[in-house]
Amino acid sequence: MFEQIKHNMETISGVEIFPILSLLIFFAFFVGLGIWVFSYKKEKITEMSQIPLNDDQTK
């Protein structure tokens, strides 16, 4: 079965760019996510972590 898929993929022109592009998108997403997480303000994280513990229920 893999041989059929491999044969079909070999006949598509420019198909070798897709794995590289996928890896770059994957890498860029997680690097961006890491930068966002480490640059998040400590006060905001503390505030959001206390939300489930608040007794104030607004309806």
Side-chain angles (χ1 to χ4, degrees):
M1 182 174 160
F2 181 70
E3 292 174 6
Q4 293 172 343
I5 295 171
K6 183 178 177 184
H7 174 69
N8 288 338
M9 295 301 276
E10 287 174 349
T11 59
I12 300 172
S13 63
V15 75
E16 62 275 353
I17 194 71
F18 290 114
I20 296 168
L21 187 61
S22 298
L23 179 64
L24 288 175
I25 291 170
F26 179 81
F27 185 73
F29 174 77
F30 281 104
V31 166
L33 188 66
I35 291 170
W36 179 69
V37 166
F38 286 114
S39 67
Y40 218 67
K41 302 225 183 292
K42 180 87 170 160
E43 296 83 26
K44 185 67 175 174
I45 294 172
T46 305
E47 177 187 336
M48 288 190 305
S49 70
Q50 295 299 319
I51 291 173
L53 303 175
N54 290 342
D55 288 336
D56 300 338
Q57 291 188 4
T58 57
K59 291 184 182 182

